[in-house]
Amino acid sequence: METLKFPVGAVGVLLTLLLAVPPVAWGHCDTLDGPVVVDAKTALAKGNIAPVLKWVPAAGEKEVREAFARTLAVRKAGKEAQDLADTWFFETLVRVHRASEGAPYTGLKAGGAEEETIVAADKALASG
């Protein structure tokens, strides 16, 4: 019976490559129609921060609360100010949320960027 022999160097190179390539994140919390931003829109519309606090750890809550208060204040200055303030709040919230997951913040993505399986899972969760 013949055994397969792998060169030790090749195995080492393969392991190094696997460890060097960052994992692909398939989350959608950084999209404009993902659950984090949807909850942020609800919070801003109601003037109540409660819907978004579930997305941040206790260590990030102070920053998010301050951003929320500032956003509400700036929104009163007109439509352009509201749009700018809302986007800034979404970015702050998503950045703090992503950091809590150990993931980098690479900006907000356009809606519809999610994979079909993630959309289906969200629908299943929403419908129970």
Side-chain angles (χ1 to χ4, degrees), residues 2-101:
E2 194 173 312
T3 60
L4 294 175
K5 296 181 182 181
F6 292 101
V8 175
V11 173
V13 169
L14 179 61
L15 287 175
T16 301
L17 288 174
L18 288 174
L19 294 174
V21 175
V24 175
W26 296 108
H28 64 297
C29 58
D30 58 353
T31 62
L32 289 171
D33 59 358
V36 177
V37 174
V38 168
D39 284 350
K41 289 176 182 178
T42 300
L44 290 170
K46 294 181 177 182
N48 179 358
I49 194 169
V52 300
L53 293 179
K54 66 185 174 192
W55 297 111
V56 296
E61 190 173 316
K62 180 180 181 215
E63 181 179 3
V64 170
R65 283 183 179 277
E66 288 173 357
F68 186 77
R70 292 178 75 186
T71 299
L72 289 179
V74 171
R75 292 177 104 223
K76 297 174 186 175
K79 179 69 172 133
E80 280 188 46
Q82 178 179 336
D83 291 345
L84 183 62
D86 288 4
T87 299
W88 176 74
F89 178 65
F90 302 155
E91 290 174 343
T92 301
L93 176 62
V94 170
R95 178 180 47 77
V96 171
H97 169 70
R98 299 278 294 167
S100 75
E101 296 178 324

